[in-house]
Amino acid sequence: MRKFVLLFAFLLLCFLTAPLDAQIAFVQAPTACVSNLGATSLTCTFAEPVAAGDVLIASAMPLLTAGGSAFSATVSDSLNGGWTHGAQCYTAYDAQADFFYKTDTAFGSDTVTLTYSNAAELYLSIAEYSGVNSSTPFDVGPTCSPY
């Protein structure tokens, strides 16, 4: 009987401490960051430390001059290094938007740096999400629209 009670207690403990399916949840996003006209880079800092294993996303946009071509862009951060460039949308209407993400983040304070190949007024928004599958963080591909 004692072995049964110990086995039951062990199984109950395993069940109660087993991870449940994670739910995707928004964690934090600082106010969007804006540069002065003529900048090639812009930094934005999370208000709280990012959690280990979370996913960070960034959307960025340069204010293009009429008749200009698309800029090349990179994003990196002080904690994890380079990010994946998920998509770039560019239209003949002098509009460009870039999307970046970083999976499996390390824990700690984090500053994100956006760098463009040409000088412009830059806009950057960053956010942290928990519960995202880091091996396949997105279930749809990017699409770009000229509007």
Side-chain angles (χ1 to χ4, degrees), residues 99-124:
F99 173 76
F100 298 86
Y101 63 95
K102 182 65 179 175
T103 59
D104 284 331
T105 59
F107 169 80
S109 299
D110 202 7
T111 298
V112 177
T113 301
L114 163 70
T115 305
Y116 273 107
S117 59
N118 295 37
E121 185 173 354
L122 307 178
Y123 299 87
L124 176 63

Side-chain angles (χ1 to χ4, degrees), residues 53-79:
D54 280 359
V55 169
L56 306 178
I57 63 167
S59 60
M61 185 184 82
L63 182 60
L64 301 177
T65 57
S69 59
F71 295 177
S72 61
T74 60
V75 167
S76 62
D77 68 25
S78 59
L79 193 58

Side-chain angles (χ1 to χ4, degrees), residues 4-104:
F4 176 73
V5 170
L6 289 175
L7 178 61
F8 178 75
F10 174 75
L11 292 174
L12 182 62
L13 180 63
C14 289
F15 176 74
L16 292 176
T17 59
L20 301 174
D21 287 340
Q23 297 294 319
I24 296 174
F26 169 78
V27 177
Q28 64 173 320
T31 303
C33 301
V34 180
S35 76
N36 292 324
L37 190 61
T40 57
S41 67
L42 174 63
T43 60
C44 213
T45 302
F46 284 101
E48 300 294 326
V50 297
D54 280 359
V55 169
L56 306 178
I57 63 167
S59 60
M61 185 184 82
L63 182 60
L64 301 177
T65 57
S69 59
F71 295 177
S72 61
T74 60
V75 167
S76 62
D77 68 25
S78 59
L79 193 58
N80 302 288
W83 291 28
T84 301
H85 195 179
Q88 181 179 70
C89 297
Y90 174 76
T91 71
Y93 302 105
D94 303 317
Q96 176 177 332
D98 291 277
F99 173 76
F100 298 86
Y101 63 95
K102 182 65 179 175
T103 59
D104 284 331

